[in-house]
Amino acid sequence: MSVTISHCLSSTELHRQYDGQNQPQPAYIELDVETGTLKASYDSVVGTASPASVRYGFERRYAIPILTGEAANALMEMLVPLADRVVADWEEYWDDSNTVVRLGEDALAAEQEMEELIRAETADHPDDSMVAEWDLDGATNGHEAEMFKITAHTTNARLDEIETEILAGLTECGGGAVAVCDGLDRYLRDLRDAFREDQAA
């Protein structure tokens, strides 16, 4: 079986921060040994829990920084030859409680090489491969209503354009290939809604 890649479709696909959480979810590359699929994603579960398919070794996860989708795709391309060796050398066995995956000698060596390659390629966190996370205080200055002429009549579509403009400016400031700011969309809508409330009063 030859490994196939499920490519990331957007630059910020691996960044996800849930409401109430102070940090974004960890990102990883995952190899499904049954289907031969390699993908990059973020952990959808808050905390240390993991799906049974991961605990039993059928889906094998390798931690990565929060890369851009493009950088994750390039990294997965590099991993394919090693991932091919993993999916070619494993078996199921019963461990007295569950059916789990046991890797063969070559698969174990290939998996170690995968982890070493991931560490080597992501060790320096180059700016052109990372998603830069900004907090709301750092991303805004309190004068956005005046700067972008936000009024009670500003549409959601225009607010989305303003958010894109702000994020583009943050990207130019450096620190990553693309910028994200949790809560920026809500901040802009709150500015618009405050004008609407004043108008209705």
Side-chain angles (χ1 to χ4, degrees):
M1 178 189 299
S2 179
V3 167
T4 58
I5 296 174
S6 178
H7 290 92
C8 295
L9 301 179
S10 73
S11 295
T12 59
E13 188 169 329
L14 300 187
H15 182 276
R16 179 63 184 270
Q17 185 167 338
Y18 291 126
D19 290 344
Q21 298 300 308
N22 295 324
Q23 299 292 331
Q25 293 297 103
Y28 59 81
I29 287 175
E30 179 181 280
L31 174 63
D32 187 321
V33 296
E34 289 188 296
T35 65
T37 302
L38 197 63
K39 72 175 184 178
S41 189
Y42 60 83
D43 194 340
S44 62
V45 178
V46 175
T48 59
S50 60
S53 55
V54 174
R55 295 197 304 273
Y56 302 151
F58 291 92
E59 294 173 351
R60 312 188 70 81
R61 292 183 177 179
Y62 314 98
I64 58 172
I66 301 177
L67 302 173
T68 64
E70 294 82 0
N73 289 340
L75 179 56
M76 287 190 287
E77 294 286 354
M78 298 173 65
L79 293 172
V80 165
L82 296 170
D84 280 338
R85 289 167 55 191
V86 176
V87 300
D89 187 27
W90 66 278
E91 63 180 0
E92 295 181 12
Y93 81 101
W94 180 254
D95 69 353
D96 295 330
S97 299
N98 299 284
T99 300
V100 301
V101 165
R102 176 163 54 195
L103 298 183
E105 185 175 342
D106 186 59
L108 287 170
E111 189 166 70
Q112 182 175 347
E113 291 179 49
M114 288 178 68
E115 293 172 341
E116 291 172 353
L117 178 59
I118 290 170
R119 283 195 295 271
E121 291 297 318
T122 61
D124 296 331
H125 295 186
D127 287 351
D128 62 355
S129 69
M130 298 291 296
V131 174
E133 303 160 46
W134 290 74
D135 61 35
L136 191 57
D137 288 340
T140 60
N141 59 23
H143 300 289
E144 283 72 24
E146 296 88 349
M147 291 172 59
F148 296 100
K149 297 180 173 55
I150 296 173
T151 71
H153 304 291
T154 303
T155 64
N156 285 338
R158 175 54 186 152
L159 292 177
D160 290 342
E161 291 175 354
I162 294 170
E163 180 181 10
T164 299
E165 290 179 46
I166 293 173
L167 293 176
L170 296 176
T171 299
E172 291 179 3
C173 290
V178 61
V180 295
C181 178
D182 187 55
L184 179 57
D185 57 343
R186 184 67 265 165
Y187 169 79
L188 295 172
R189 279 159 174 72
D190 285 346
L191 289 177
R192 188 268 315 276
D193 292 346
F195 284 115
R196 289 182 174 179
E197 290 173 5
D198 290 343
Q199 196 175 68

